[in-house]
Amino acid sequence: MRYMAAGASILMVCGSLTFTPTAVADTTVSADSTVMPYDYDGDGYSDMTVGVVGEDLKGTADVGTVQVLYGSDGGVSSRDQLWHQGVKGVKGALERGDRFGRALASRDFDGDGYADLAVGIPDEDIRKKTNAGAVQVLYGGAKGLTARDQIWHQGTAGVPGGNQIDDKFGFSLAAGDLNGDGYADLAIGLPYEDNGSVVLLFGASSGLTSARSVRLRQGKNGMPSTPGGYENFGRHLSMGDIDADGFDDLLIEVGSESDSTLTDYSVGSAVHVLRGSEAGVEPTGSQYILPADLGLSEMWQVRQMALCDFNADARDDLVLSSNENVAVLHGSAEGLRPTPLPVSTTPGTDAVWSVSPWFDDDVGPDAACGDLTGDGNADLAVESARAVKVIQGTAAGLEATSTTWSDESWTWKDWTNLAVQPNSGGTHAWLVVNTINDVAVLRGTADGTAGPIETWSQNSPGVKGRKEAGDAFGLILGR
């Protein structure tokens, strides 16, 4: 998967104004434009980043923390950091129910060669506005993440909109280089602000800035609205270059729901695709993909979006894991091409993969992607029947068959997440799976079967903290 890029020009939406900004010269692209996400110390190994959203600290319940276990030549290590508000030098204070770490995203926002971390705090109270939400950004350096940080919310100067009760700014996050200037940008979801919105912050040499901040809303300033019943715009976000034009594109999921657990919904999901450009994103000509476009039922509900290049054409392909199946749409020069999807039989074609019944089908399986076999082709990992199905990638695309990765020691929860990360110096990525207050890490192998398994928790030797019921260690994984 491509990480950063360079590129061309178009229009932006900011607050209630539509304008054409000055183009950004390609000369701003830095040599650090391919920094690996979650590699905070720049050593070439991804660092396992774990949201512990139910962590209690100093007698305060559910403040939430983020634990980083650093990658090494041998894989995940016990060299770790525990981050939260109240750490020396970090802005903010410990507050009940903030759930720091509810969303995570990583890229190099300041172009210094080290990955940085954005942390969603959607339940943060801002000036008596309960659950208005905030995002905290920690910047990387030679020794890893540092207390050099920023806090963003809708009361921050230059950020469009105002703090409102239950907007949940930071409920979802995605990072990538939308305008190709070599600095990563951050998309922030507020799915409960009216019908939902997404705020964009753009990177610069000093880090993220609100100078050209953008708010995207359905039916506003050139943005189309989905037909009938779709709301919670920005519930899931993803970024990647689906057309290989050198700009990351922004994908926004929208779908009605009664609460944040994706249960009891009245309509399925739609996916809004916004193309990146030299000026940011282009609302005009954006694309909505509806379940009917894919030949799927109107109750088809996206749980997770992921982007990987499965067919080696330098374009990111979109994975949509849902309550019914897993769909893959391949990128092209024209972007995504939604048509009714067949069951997968031919590598490299848009298709759906069925998964074994999951024990909570109202939620559906999680999915993640990366090169688990070390052959240079991305593989797809899908949670299925208390195990993980790995569908191997080939030079032509994903195979139709899969292998099963599991372990009898795993204790599954109602909401299990996956990540695929290059945590070591080997050629194979590793599969990260959260269970109940533990995270299992499985090494990839050349033949596509699961390698040795390690289990990490706050009871692991050398790891900070203490394993406690309700901590939800690993409920959120950086990926």
Side-chain angles (χ1 to χ4, degrees), residues 412-436:
W412 290 76
K413 56 173 68 179
D414 290 347
W415 188 284
T416 294
N417 288 310
L418 309 177
V420 176
Q421 296 182 330
N423 295 125
S424 76
T427 58
H428 312 94
W430 295 24
L431 176 66
V432 182
V433 182
N434 83 299
T435 58
I436 295 180

Side-chain angles (χ1 to χ4, degrees), residues 304-321:
Q304 185 58 258
M305 297 193 293
L307 287 162
C308 274
D309 181 8
F310 294 117
N311 57 349
D313 64 354
R315 298 180 176 95
D316 281 336
D317 308 314
L318 175 63
V319 179
L320 299 170
S321 63

Side-chain angles (χ1 to χ4, degrees), residues 242-366:
I242 59 176
D243 50 10
D245 66 351
F247 304 100
D248 278 337
D249 308 302
L250 175 62
L251 289 86
I252 303 169
E253 187 263 349
V254 52
S256 183
E257 64 179 32
S258 62
D259 56 37
S260 62
T261 63
L262 303 186
T263 60
D264 221 11
Y265 40 77
S266 58
V267 68
S269 291
V271 178
H272 193 164
V273 182
L274 287 160
R275 307 284 280 275
S277 75
E278 192 168 305
V281 293
E282 170 56 31
T284 305
S286 62
Q287 179 183 31
Y288 266 120
I289 301 173
L290 304 176
D293 298 331
L294 306 178
L296 302 169
S297 79
E298 64 180 10
M299 302 305 292
W300 183 80
Q301 185 82 212
V302 171
R303 174 182 172 185
Q304 185 58 258
M305 297 193 293
L307 287 162
C308 274
D309 181 8
F310 294 117
N311 57 349
D313 64 354
R315 298 180 176 95
D316 281 336
D317 308 314
L318 175 63
V319 179
L320 299 170
S321 63
S322 78
N323 56 317
E324 297 180 4
N325 49 36
V326 176
V328 175
L329 301 177
H330 290 82
S332 73
E334 299 79 39
L336 301 174
R337 298 169 291 194
T339 58
L341 299 177
V343 173
S344 173
T345 56
T346 306
T349 58
D350 294 359
V352 293
W353 278 258
S354 297
V355 293
S356 301
W358 196 60
F359 68 102
D360 186 352
D361 283 332
D362 282 339
V363 176
D366 195 22

